[in-house]
């Protein structure tokens, strides 16, 4: 069961669980439908290479769609007063994490992406994840990080 963040009382949640966004699955279904339309439109075509290419893309999209649907309830991140855990990796404690944040980066063509970034002190690794893949907004993530880091510090 997915946890719900109470935006009016963020101190109410013991931990924040982040999952893959359902929008990604809807997008993959739309791409699958588009591929079927292209396949049907080109089925009258005598170009065997084009038909095989469309069919191959169709099969590939089915594979990725099924894979995403199987992973929809897998926890991607667990953020609590002990630290941050990514998927099935060991939990990284707060005393081994620095500079955790949610940031917006702008590209040259006026597009922007939100990222979840944190540094693991011991290994020197910088963990960076595009929030578009997950079911949490930048603001919700900022609240969760602040709340859980403060719980650790008290």
């Amino acid at each position: 069961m997915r946890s719900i963040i109470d935006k009016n009382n963020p101190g109410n949640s013991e931990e924040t669980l982040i999952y893959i966004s359902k929008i990604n699955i809807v997008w993959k279904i739309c791409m699958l439908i588009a591929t079927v339309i292209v396949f049907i439109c080109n089925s009258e075509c005598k170009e065997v290479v084009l038909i095989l290419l469309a069919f191959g893309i169709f099969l590939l999209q089915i594979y990725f769609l099924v894979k995403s649907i199987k992973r929809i309830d897998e926890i991607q991140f667990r953020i609590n007063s002990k630290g941050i855990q990514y998927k099935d990796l060991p939990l990284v404690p707060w005393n081994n994490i620095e500079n955790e944040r949610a940031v917006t980066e702008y590209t040259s063509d006026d597009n922007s992406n939100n990222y979840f970034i944190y540094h693991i002190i011991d290994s020197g690794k910088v963990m960076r994840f595009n929030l578009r893949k997950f079911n949490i907004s930048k603001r919700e993530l900022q609240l969760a990080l602040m709340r859980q880091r403060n719980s650790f510090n008290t």
Side-chain angles (χ1 to χ4, degrees):
M1 176 101 183
R2 293 180 179 220
S3 64
I4 298 173
I5 299 173
D6 184 0
K7 294 177 187 174
N8 297 324
N9 187 10
N12 200 17
S13 304
E14 289 184 17
E15 68 179 7
T16 301
L17 303 176
I18 302 173
Y19 298 88
I20 292 175
S21 174
K22 290 182 181 179
I23 292 173
N24 287 339
I25 291 178
V26 171
W27 174 251
K28 288 176 184 176
I29 290 171
C30 290
M31 292 303 294
L32 186 66
I33 291 169
T35 304
V36 168
I37 291 170
V38 168
F39 184 70
I40 290 171
C41 290
N42 289 321
S43 63
E44 297 173 3
C45 180
K46 303 290 185 209
E47 294 288 330
V48 176
V49 174
L50 188 61
I51 293 171
L52 289 176
L53 181 65
F55 186 68
I57 292 171
F58 173 75
L59 291 177
L60 193 62
Q61 286 179 348
I62 287 178
Y63 169 77
F64 286 122
L65 178 63
V66 169
K67 189 175 175 182
S68 293
I69 290 172
K70 286 182 179 179
R71 295 179 45 209
I72 193 72
D73 285 327
E74 288 180 10
I75 297 170
Q76 300 300 304
F77 287 97
R78 181 181 308 270
I79 303 171
N80 57 32
S81 61
K82 296 176 185 171
I84 300 173
Q85 182 179 10
Y86 176 60
K87 293 187 179 184
D88 292 331
L89 296 177
L91 182 122
V92 180
W94 285 112
N95 58 4
N96 192 22
I97 297 173
E98 65 182 7
N99 207 12
E100 70 279 351
R101 64 199 184 281
V103 298
T104 302
E105 292 184 0
Y106 297 94
T107 60
S108 59
D109 55 351
D110 294 331
N111 290 329
S112 64
N113 288 311
N114 292 321
Y115 292 97
F116 172 30
I117 302 172
Y118 61 96
H119 299 258
I120 301 175
I121 298 169
D122 287 350
S123 65
K125 291 175 84 175
V126 176
M127 305 300 280
R128 178 184 167 100
F129 304 94
N130 193 329
L131 288 180
R132 188 180 316 151
K133 299 177 185 178
F134 305 111
N135 71 335
I136 193 166
S137 70
K138 177 184 171 186
R139 179 72 179 136
E140 290 172 328
L141 180 61
Q142 288 171 330
L143 286 171
L145 290 169
M146 183 178 62
R147 179 180 62 249
Q148 300 303 343
R149 172 64 89 168
N150 289 340
S151 295
F152 171 75
N153 288 335
T154 58

